[in-house]
Amino acid sequence: MKNWLVLIQFSVLAVLIVACNNHEQQNSRTEATLTAWSELTRATSAHLRGLDAVNDAIIWASGTEGTVLCSLDSGKTWMSFQVPNCQDIDFRDIEGFDENQAAVMSSGNGVRMYFTENGGQDWALSYEDTNRLVFFDGMDFNGEYGIAYGDPQNGKLSMLQSKDRGRSWEILNTDLMPATLEGEAGFAASGTGIVIGKASVWIATGGGSEARVFQSSAEHSWKAINTPMASGEATGIFSIAFFDDQFGAVVGGNYIDSTRAEANAAYTTGGGQNWIKSASLPLGYRSCVTFNPSGVAIATGRTGTDYSIDHGKNWNSLSSQGYFSCIAGPNYILGVGRNGKIGRMEVDFSQLPLSASETSTP
């Protein structure tokens, strides 16, 4: 028995040594690959929520006080514009098409759409609804075609469509769209509650008894799909992103209780037909999710930034610093936020550590 006891003690000691070495290696890997946000020079004091990358160099952003920003060098420097007669307008979403053309959308007290043909020097009003009860949440484009959506009017989400990159808009027929639930609406926290894919359109909601994803299944034919996300007042899906027409992710939570990390992320592997609660969750409310070109998902919000290397199934904390909106390139993340805050993080996405649940899998 004594010899067996000695053998067991040595075995336990060996296991502990190996475990400590693995833990030190994991910590070393984390420290070597994760880089802190670097705050860039602020080009404005406006709050920024709209953000879109045409490519790695050309980036557009938008926000309060009728503000639009454009960068031609991956966000290192910015040109700042104010759309005329829009000092009281909050541009919650923007879509860039190249260095000259962009469409911008307002949120709150009606809706205004503007378009620029000359890099932000001049803006043409392309659509306006002065009904102060109208509130639009976001827009997305696939080529020339775009859709903008807003909170319900007469029990249906408000919808506009453009067939010319946003130079003009028209009301989209919503007769075939399911009715919204009591309290259900979109969130304009980052303008990323809608995605137009190759074959489908997805729109995320919250605020009601269920957080749902509205999906188009045919020409202007829609269905509403329940998700395992938390929902209720100030709670639901705040952002949706798809890597392709099959793999997608949603994030959100409660923007009042922004540290709550309960049912605030889900993913789909079937094109949005069903949604599964993420196995490990972001550390709090997240207002934006995006994919980088290799399929790594990034989520950000007031209380931090997280990443997922498996399309949203598992999330790991990347930084305790967060932003309203973010985009992700091949080796960087760029975020925008309050008072003109712009941050950039250099990341080697291929070296991001696995999540805890993945490292524990045999």
Side-chain angles (χ1 to χ4, degrees), residues 133-148:
L133 298 179
V134 169
F135 190 102
F136 266 66
D137 301 295
M139 63 179 174
D140 194 33
F141 280 79
N142 188 337
E144 298 281 320
Y145 185 72
I147 292 178

Side-chain angles (χ1 to χ4, degrees), residues 42 44-48 324 337-341:
R42 303 191 186 197
T44 179
S45 60
H47 304 327
L48 303 173
F324 290 151
R338 187 178 300 278
N339 297 321
K341 179 180 174 184

Side-chain angles (χ1 to χ4, degrees), residues 53 55 206-207 221 235 258:
N55 51 40
S221 178
T235 306
S258 57

Side-chain angles (χ1 to χ4, degrees), residues 133 135-137 149-153 156-158 184-187:
L133 298 179
F135 190 102
F136 266 66
D137 301 295
Y149 80 104
D151 289 352
Q153 295 289 317
K156 300 286 185 74
L157 291 176
S158 303
E184 184 177 24
F187 292 105

Side-chain angles (χ1 to χ4, degrees), residues 158-237:
S158 303
M159 303 278 283
L160 298 172
Q161 68 174 356
S162 173
K163 300 177 182 178
D164 54 10
R165 291 190 171 188
R167 293 180 180 87
S168 63
W169 295 85
E170 61 185 15
I171 295 175
L172 183 61
N173 188 340
T174 58
D175 289 347
L176 298 179
M177 177 171 278
T180 53
L181 305 172
E182 184 177 355
E184 184 177 24
F187 292 105
S190 62
T192 56
I194 179 173
V195 173
I196 301 180
K198 293 179 180 179
S200 293
V201 179
W202 300 273
I203 298 175
T205 68
S209 58
E210 298 282 350
R212 303 195 293 176
V213 172
F214 286 75
Q215 181 178 4
S216 65
S217 54
E219 183 70 16
H220 305 324
S221 178
W222 299 78
K223 58 183 175 182
I225 302 164
N226 290 344
T227 74
M229 296 280 288
S231 192
E233 185 178 359
T235 306
I237 304 171

